[in-house]
Amino acid sequence: MNMKGIVKDAMMLFLITLIAGALLGAVHEVTLEPIAKAQQEAANATYREVFPEATNFVTTDALTAAVADSADEIAAQGFGSVSVDSAMEAQDESGNVIGYMITATSAEGYGGDVQISVGIDADGKLTGLGFLTLSETPGLGMRAQEPEFKDQFPGKSTAETFEVTKTGATADNQVQAISGATITSSAVTGALNAAAYFVNNCIAQ
């Protein structure tokens, strides 16, 4: 093949690559919004499940600032590799603040990040706990989503640091571990402690 043919083939390959890249970019842009919408709808469904008495969940500038300002303080509490990602007011239908919806993440799950949403009412008690990100082992860590594990949280006081137990929870601050999934249980508890600490110590009441 002569030089002219090589140049021609190179140009054709370049054009094909350019067109393919543009098409992929267009497809990505078209699908980006529906994906984001679906993720937000799933999150909203979790919020409603976690804090059923709330009608609206509202982000405020003050809470956003508190999340940013508290990062180092929360990291120093010994809850593991955890973070508070976002915070919202939980409001009733009249717009009264009846608690908070906190999203927190532990990077110490068995299969990666464990991101939870936690409802905490005005009395400092948990209204529930839900999962936004969970990629644990099927039949083990993924059982964190089941009622047997999740139903132990509503009504618990956030006055004390939560701890994992394998032998049966006998105190309000104890979390019964999932059999065979202590790592997942500890990750959830670490994120829960971060959320509780944030509400009790980092929000101007």
Side-chain angles (χ1 to χ4, degrees):
M1 182 180 293
N2 57 33
M3 184 59 68
K4 185 176 180 180
I6 293 173
V7 172
K8 182 179 178 181
D9 288 348
M11 286 298 295
M12 287 294 293
L13 182 60
F14 173 76
L15 287 172
I16 291 170
T17 303
L18 187 64
I19 293 169
L23 289 172
L24 285 173
V27 170
H28 176 71
E29 289 298 322
V30 169
T31 59
L32 199 59
E33 185 174 344
I35 290 172
K37 184 178 179 181
Q39 289 174 336
Q40 187 58 56
E41 288 176 351
N44 290 339
T46 299
Y47 300 153
R48 290 191 294 270
E49 176 188 346
V50 168
F51 209 136
E53 293 183 3
T55 303
N56 297 305
F57 301 99
V58 179
T59 302
T60 67
D61 291 341
L63 286 176
T64 300
V67 169
D69 293 342
S70 65
D72 291 340
E73 182 178 348
I74 289 173
Q77 298 308 309
F79 303 142
S81 182
V82 298
S83 64
V84 169
D85 306 321
S86 66
M88 294 181 289
E89 292 180 348
Q91 301 180 352
D92 64 16
E93 58 185 8
S94 298
N96 300 309
V97 178
I98 58 174
Y100 298 93
M101 177 62 62
I102 311 299
T103 297
T105 297
S106 169
E108 298 181 349
Y110 189 83
D113 289 353
V114 174
Q115 187 179 51
I116 64 172
S117 283
V118 181
I120 301 176
D121 68 17
D123 295 324
K125 292 188 176 182
L126 298 177
T127 63
L129 179 148
F131 292 91
L132 297 179
T133 302
L134 187 67
S135 302
E136 303 297 88
T137 306
L140 293 173
M142 289 303 290
R143 290 170 55 208
Q145 300 177 101
E146 297 178 359
E148 185 178 356
F149 182 73
K150 287 172 56 179
D151 285 357
Q152 66 182 306
F153 295 103
K156 283 184 176 290
S157 171
T158 61
E160 296 181 74
T161 300
F162 292 100
E163 59 183 34
V164 176
T165 179
K166 298 180 183 179
T167 57
T170 57
D172 191 54
N173 70 318
Q174 291 184 328
V175 175
Q176 176 59 46
I178 303 162
S179 179
T182 304
I183 291 175
T184 302
S185 304
S186 296
V188 173
T189 303
L192 174 60
N193 279 326
Y197 181 90
F198 175 82
V199 170
N200 291 331
N201 297 280
C202 303
I203 298 176
Q205 303 288 348

